[in-house]
Amino acid sequence: MIDPLLATLPLSLADGPLFGLPLAELWFGLVFAVFGTFLFLDGFDFGVGALFATRSSEAEREQLLAAIGPFWDGNEVWLVVFGGMLFAVFPSAYATLFSRHYLLMFAILGALIVRGLAPELYEQRHDEAWHRWWGRAFVVGSVASPFFLGVFVGNWLFGVTGVASLASLLVGLAVVALTIVDGAAYLGVKTRGDVRLETRPIGHLAQVAYLPLAVTALVVGSRSAPHVALRSAPTLGLLGLTVLLAAVHIVAGRAGRTYLAFAAVAGQVYGLVALVATLLFPLVDPATDLSIADAIVSTVPLNLTTIGAAVLLPLVASYFVVLYAAFSGPVDDESSYA
């Protein structure tokens, strides 16, 4: 009903994609770019949550909470944007993918809820037992969230139809390692003193673990997923870039160049997401052989969604620029989450 009506407008949205652009492919890239933004921003929140377990001093724990306090709930907006985009432009892929992994979705939501509640309740009382239990809940939620997200991505990439496979579990572990790398690099920028010095080597160890986990996951997963072309030029290029960025992260971290180390980690996160998108293309759901061309919505809603995104995405991005500018700079030793 809507398509014929809009087709009568002077600027017809039904004649074809706006300006003749390959909107289906552009949206495929944009969906993964948004997911990469979520994984990078919320990734350092997860990593700081995991590193919370390494701090025994109450002052240092408060410092870690203060470092992510203004950002962590806002960072999750990008997960909502990612899900909304997938639903808006690839509804059939959204339906098959999310319904096939219903239990995993609940596990992700449960872990995110625990991760979100724990620091709030941690601050409500100041006795040792209360802090011990909610501190543990914060760590568990911060580790479980990226693990389940990684399993979901592994299932998606390798076309797994069950709860999980060995390859997707390895992807989950790789994502946990990468978030710890991300969190330690973020603390290098955001903190001073012992917290920065003592979390940096943990981040480097996680960096060393991440690479073999990711490569092993790809090798194991490719045995049952013929669309995963490991020897293609883009795949080898992205893997090589990841190794290079890992080396930059470690060398820059040891040299005290914290912003460069953090930027190298950001490159690795986006590189991982780009690798997943590259290995999927031109499919959007390998388990059902659903291609981008088959899954994309019809012309009119695609054009309308594109116009809406062109207006809204810059506004969302501007909000984050203001947010991070307002709370820029390192937290001091007396900072707290409350």
Side-chain angles (χ1 to χ4, degrees), residues 198-254:
E198 294 174 8
T199 55
R200 185 177 64 194
I202 300 174
H204 291 173
L205 284 175
Q207 177 73 84
V208 173
Y210 166 65
L211 295 175
L213 280 170
V215 172
T216 305
L218 288 173
V219 172
V220 173
S222 65
R223 292 175 180 173
S224 58
H227 64 280
V228 176
L230 294 184
R231 296 182 180 179
S232 69
T235 302
L236 293 175
L238 286 168
L239 288 174
L241 178 63
T242 298
V243 173
L244 175 63
L245 290 171
V248 171
H249 163 233
I250 292 177
V251 172
R254 289 181 174 175

Side-chain angles (χ1 to χ4, degrees), residues 65-81:
L65 291 175
I68 62 169
F71 311 118
W72 71 265
D73 51 350
N75 291 338
E76 288 186 353
V77 167
W78 291 103
L79 182 60
V80 177
V81 175

Side-chain angles (χ1 to χ4, degrees), residues 97-134:
L97 191 61
F98 281 63
S99 61
R100 197 166 61 243
H101 300 298
Y102 209 64
L103 292 177
L104 199 49
M105 290 298 103
F106 275 105
I108 292 170
L109 289 175
L112 288 173
I113 289 171
V114 171
R115 195 285 302 262
L117 278 176
E120 302 291 342
L121 293 173
Y122 185 91
E123 297 292 343
Q124 298 305 311
R125 288 170 54 181
H126 296 284
D127 64 77
E128 185 177 342
W130 181 269
H131 277 190
R132 183 169 60 251
W133 282 105
W134 284 113

Side-chain angles (χ1 to χ4, degrees), residues 123-320:
E123 297 292 343
Q124 298 305 311
R125 288 170 54 181
H126 296 284
D127 64 77
E128 185 177 342
W130 181 269
H131 277 190
R132 183 169 60 251
W133 282 105
W134 284 113
R136 289 171 179 171
F138 183 48
V139 173
V140 169
S142 298
V143 173
S145 297
F147 175 73
F148 289 134
L149 280 165
V151 173
F152 171 74
V153 171
N155 284 352
W156 184 2
L157 172 61
F158 301 124
V160 177
T161 55
V163 175
S165 67
L166 174 60
S168 56
L169 291 173
L170 288 169
V171 174
L173 292 175
V175 172
V176 171
L178 186 58
T179 57
I180 294 174
V181 176
D182 198 1
Y186 175 74
L187 290 175
V189 171
K190 201 68 182 172
T191 64
R192 299 287 184 265
D194 291 344
V195 171
R196 174 198 277 189
L197 293 175
E198 294 174 8
T199 55
R200 185 177 64 194
I202 300 174
H204 291 173
L205 284 175
Q207 177 73 84
V208 173
Y210 166 65
L211 295 175
L213 280 170
V215 172
T216 305
L218 288 173
V219 172
V220 173
S222 65
R223 292 175 180 173
S224 58
H227 64 280
V228 176
L230 294 184
R231 296 182 180 179
S232 69
T235 302
L236 293 175
L238 286 168
L239 288 174
L241 178 63
T242 298
V243 173
L244 175 63
L245 290 171
V248 171
H249 163 233
I250 292 177
V251 172
R254 289 181 174 175
R257 301 186 64 180
T258 55
Y259 283 95
L260 178 58
F262 192 41
V265 174
Q268 289 183 73
V269 175
Y270 280 102
L272 174 64
V273 176
L275 181 61
V276 171
T278 301
L279 293 173
L280 279 173
F281 188 86
L283 299 175
V284 68
D285 185 7
T288 56
D289 285 330
L290 195 62
S291 69
I292 295 172
D294 295 331
I296 197 73
V297 292
S298 59
T299 303
V300 171
L302 180 63
N303 286 340
L304 287 172
T305 305
T306 303
I307 293 170
V311 174
L312 294 177
L313 279 180
L315 293 176
V316 175
S318 300
Y319 163 77
F320 275 83

Side-chain angles (χ1 to χ4, degrees), residues 59 62-63 66 330-337:
E62 289 289 349
Q63 201 176 347
V331 295
D332 56 44
D333 295 343
E334 289 78 31
S335 297
S336 67
Y337 180 71

